[in-house]
Amino acid sequence: AQSVTQLDSQVPVFEEAPVELRCNYSSSVSVYLFWYVQYPNQGLQLLLKYLSGSTLVKGINGFEAEFNKSQTSFHLRKPSVHISDTAEYFCAVNRNAGGTSYGKLTFGQGTILTVHP
Amino acid sequence: DTGVSQNPRHKITKRGQNVTFRCDPISEHNRLYWYRQTLGQGPEFLTYFQNEAQLEKSRLLSDRFSAERPKGSFSTLEIQRTEQGDSAMYLCASSSTGLPEAFFGQGTRLTVV
C-alpha cells in the first residue's frame, strides 16, 4: 500500500514571494507522483506529474516539483506566487505496475496555500 | 468533450432518504473512479470501474452505497438511508488504460440534515 504525508497543513505567503509545499510518500513499489490543485467548491485540477526521466518536472501556472527517490519526497515549488494561487494543493501517488498503472490515487491531507497582498 | 461532468453539484437531503449522483466521464476514457472528500481531508478512493465492470470497492463503501456503470459510459452512485456522516464532497474521475493520472469532475456536495 502507499501513503502520502503533506508536511504543512497551511502555508501563508506574501505575493511575489517563493513557496515550497512539502510532500513525502511511502511505498513498497515504484510509484507515479502528482500534484493537484483545488479551488473552493471545485474539483481537482492536475498541476503536474512525475512518471519517469528527469526528476524536475514543470507544470501549469509556473509550478514545478522535484522527485527525490532517496528521500521519498516530491516537493512543489513556485518562485513567485500570485494572489490567484490561493487554493488547496494535494500530493498524490499511483502504483507503477511495470510501466502501466492502475489509476487509483492515494492522496495526502492537503496544504492550504494563502497568498497575501 | 469538455471534461468530467457531475450532477447535481449540490444536494441537501434529510437523514434516511436515498440519493443518487451521476457522473459522465471524458468520452474516450474507459476507467471511472469515485472518491469521497470530507472537510480538511484529501479525497479517499471509493470504487473503480473499467468499462462496465466494477473492479474494486473500498472498505469505506458500506452496504448502503452502490455504484453502477451499466453501459461503460456514465456512472451513478446511490446512497441509501443517508446518515449525517455521509455529508461530504463526492468526486468522480476518469482515465484510460495506460494513463496514470485521473481527471476529476467538479464534484457533488452532499449535505445530510
Side-chain angles (χ1 to χ4, degrees), chain A residues 1 16-17 27 34 37 42 46 49-50 53 57 65 70 72 74 80 83 86-88 90 92 103 115:
Chain A
E16 297 184 6
S27 178
F34 308 88
V37 61
Q42 300 292 317
L46 181 65
K49 60 188 177 186
Y50 172 77
V57 293
S70 63
T72 61
F74 190 53
S80 175
I83 296 284
T86 294
E88 190 161 17
F90 292 94
V115 181

Side-chain angles (χ1 to χ4, degrees), chain B residues 1-5 24-30 69 94 103:
Chain B
D1 191 303
T2 56
V4 179
S5 177
D24 288 271
I26 293 170
S27 58
E28 61 267 30
H29 285 178
N30 63 338
R69 195 183 183 199
S94 70
F103 296 86

Side-chain angles (χ1 to χ4, degrees), chain B:
Chain B
D1 191 303
T2 56
V4 179
S5 177
Q6 292 188 246
N7 287 289
R9 291 290 311 278
H10 303 274
K11 178 72 177 178
I12 301 173
T13 192
K14 292 183 178 179
R15 190 173 49 189
Q17 298 293 304
N18 299 344
V19 294
T20 300
F21 311 140
R22 176 177 170 127
C23 172
D24 288 271
I26 293 170
S27 58
E28 61 267 30
H29 285 178
N30 63 338
R31 292 177 169 180
L32 187 147
Y33 313 85
W34 285 99
Y35 290 81
R36 180 170 66 189
Q37 184 181 22
T38 53
L39 203 60
Q41 299 296 318
E44 294 175 299
F45 170 79
L46 291 179
T47 190
Y48 154 59
F49 290 86
Q50 180 157 305
N51 300 314
E52 64 275 11
Q54 188 173 20
L55 297 186
E56 186 176 346
K57 291 194 294 186
S58 164
R59 279 171 285 181
L60 292 175
L61 211 63
S62 78
D63 291 344
R64 296 184 297 106
F65 288 69
S66 62
E68 293 183 343
R69 195 183 183 199
K71 298 182 180 179
S73 57
F74 74 91
S75 175
T76 58
L77 178 67
E78 182 183 17
I79 309 174
Q80 296 183 325
R81 305 180 302 283
T82 52
E83 302 173 355
Q84 286 192 320
D86 297 331
S87 295
M89 174 81 91
Y90 290 84
L91 293 163
C92 176
S94 70
S95 69
S96 291
T97 305
L99 197 64
E101 68 265 39
F103 296 86
F104 284 81
Q106 301 282 54
T108 295
R109 182 166 294 282
L110 173 67
T111 302
V112 181
V113 297

Side-chain angles (χ1 to χ4, degrees), chain A residues 1-4 91-95 104-108, chain B residues 35 43 45:
Chain A
Q2 296 82 45
S3 67
V4 178
C91 181
V93 301
N94 184 356
R95 181 166 51 109
K104 168 186 163 185
L105 297 165
T106 300
F107 287 87
Chain B
Y35 290 81
F45 170 79

